[in-house]
Amino acid sequence: NLRTDFQNLTEASINSLAALSKCIRLQTLDLSLVSEAIPHASLFHALSSLINLQTLYIPRAFAPSPEANTPEARPFGFKASASKIQAHRYELPPNLRVLQISGSLTDLSLLQFSTQPRKLTHLALQHCPRLSALSIYGFLCEVSPHLTTLQLGPNIPLLSQSASYDMNMFPPMPELKELSISFEFLKWRYFYHYPPAETSGNGEGGASARGIFPSLHTLQIDAQEDVYLRELDPLNIWTAVDTGVLPSLRVLKVHRRLGWQEEGVYGFHERWLDVRDLDDLLKALAAEDRQANEGCVDEEDAGVIFMGMR
């Protein structure tokens, strides 16, 4: 009958799983700080009985299954067959809504996560040095139908490498409303991989328009170090909004390390003017939404917001 949520646990082991499996009313389980590695199969076997679990933070010290140590499971060398993956599938709790993955998971480990039924709405992938863009893309394809919030990064180095190769990292996410992503995963060319929102059969746009992120209203771009290169400019975001690639974007949160706020600094003045134009555009669109009784962002909350410290 335990209903109290377990959060910020630091001590847990495989010997704890039998007791954990009996907490059938548990709703939140945070194992991200657990130092002892727990085998995949054992953990998910215990979680399978937690039918009320809605939030799960995977241990960073996740112990890989034996097949995850084979050459085909290594990053950028993943060639496992569908039958092999299916044979080692791990069932997520049926009502899980929030999932955070971090640590030493391999490509094969990620693809072994079963996502049926597909009810995930919030997903965070961070500090995963062994995950490649290919496996992340495959996992996103499975969870994308209902996903409303996605956080990618920091510290996914193989994903950063793929961004430099212009690889499309996202499948269509029709319900995604908030995206938080590290700067190194984005390049200016990235926003031109995707076409603008498609119109309905009668040639009209509006509510029927569908694009890669048709519902995205908040984009947060983080940075782990100072960036002065013009690989991603406010003008690129402005163009994506204006042309319908990001038709619903109303809030852009940018880390100060990107240097977009450097008004009056030599070489950055033009960028600052673009920031002001983008801010005006987002606020104006939010105002139009309110006049039409649409949207979920107030005009005073819309625009470009700087966050963090230099």
Side-chain angles (χ1 to χ4, degrees):
N1 294 317
L2 185 65
R3 294 178 180 269
T4 304
D5 297 341
F6 285 161
Q7 299 185 36
N8 300 323
L9 290 176
T10 57
E11 296 295 333
S13 67
I14 191 172
N15 297 327
S16 310
L17 298 181
L20 177 62
S21 66
K22 296 179 173 61
C23 302
I24 59 175
R25 298 182 185 272
L26 200 62
Q27 295 184 355
T28 300
L29 181 60
D30 183 353
L31 299 175
S32 61
L33 300 180
V34 172
S35 57
E36 181 171 339
I38 301 177
H40 295 184
S42 300
L43 177 61
F44 281 99
H45 179 73
L47 296 178
S48 62
S49 62
L50 305 186
I51 59 175
N52 294 302
L53 191 67
Q54 297 183 14
T55 301
L56 173 63
Y57 289 9
I58 296 295
R60 285 182 290 181
F62 223 26
S65 53
E67 64 274 7
N69 290 322
T70 58
E72 60 269 22
R74 294 169 185 164
F76 285 118
F78 179 73
K79 298 179 181 179
S81 65
S83 59
K84 181 176 181 180
I85 297 174
Q86 190 65 33
H88 299 281
R89 213 61 168 159
Y90 304 126
E91 294 293 333
L92 293 173
N95 291 302
L96 194 67
R97 298 293 190 275
V98 180
L99 177 64
Q100 177 179 296
I101 298 175
S102 60
S104 57
L105 267 73
T106 63
D107 286 353
L108 182 58
S109 300
L110 181 63
L111 295 180
Q112 285 175 328
F113 283 18
S114 175
T115 57
Q116 297 291 341
R118 301 178 181 181
K119 294 185 178 180
L120 278 181
T121 58
H122 294 65
L123 173 65
L125 291 171
Q126 53 189 7
H127 302 291
C128 299
R130 302 180 68 185
L131 290 184
S132 71
L134 184 61
S135 65
I136 292 175
Y137 179 85
F139 187 64
L140 290 179
C141 286
E142 294 198 42
V143 303
S144 61
H146 302 291
L147 207 61
T148 61
T149 303
L150 174 63
Q151 177 185 350
L152 283 181
N155 191 23
I156 311 180
L158 297 181
L159 192 59
S160 177
Q161 293 176 17
S162 297
S164 66
Y165 298 143
D166 292 347
M167 178 178 178
N168 292 351
M169 295 184 295
F170 296 108
M173 296 184 175
E175 302 299 326
L176 191 69
K177 295 177 174 58
E178 299 182 19
L179 172 62
S180 175
I181 190 167
S182 294
F183 166 80
E184 59 265 25
F185 304 155
L186 293 176
K187 305 294 181 183
W188 69 268
R189 298 178 298 275
Y190 175 77
F191 290 101
Y192 301 97
H193 276 300
Y194 302 111
E198 298 176 358
T199 58
S200 58
N202 58 12
E204 298 178 356
S208 62
R210 313 304 290 172
I212 187 71
F213 296 133
S215 304
L216 185 70
H217 61 67
T218 301
L219 173 62
Q220 176 174 316
I221 305 177
D222 205 348
Q224 301 303 306
E225 57 185 16
D226 288 344
V227 179
Y228 294 100
L229 299 178
R230 299 180 63 90
E231 295 180 354
L232 180 64
D233 274 347
L235 181 59
N236 304 134
I237 307 295
W238 191 97
T239 302
V241 175
D242 187 59
T243 59
V245 176
L246 298 176
S248 301
L249 188 66
R250 300 296 180 264
V251 180
L252 177 64
K253 299 180 180 180
V254 182
H255 203 287
R256 285 185 171 83
R257 293 194 183 105
L258 291 180
W260 285 14
Q261 80 287 357
E262 302 289 353
E263 181 182 8
V265 178
Y266 178 76
F268 288 86
H269 183 65
E270 181 180 350
R271 177 181 293 184
W272 172 247
L273 295 178
D274 291 339
V275 170
R276 292 199 303 180
D277 289 342
L278 176 58
D279 183 73
D280 291 341
L281 175 64
L282 297 180
K283 290 182 181 299
L285 292 174
E288 292 178 4
D289 292 341
R290 283 305 173 186
Q291 292 178 359
N293 294 322
E294 299 176 352
C296 57
V297 178
D298 293 330
E299 181 180 0
E300 56 269 22
D301 298 325
V304 179
I305 300 173
F306 293 107
M307 61 182 188
M309 302 293 294
R310 291 297 300 269

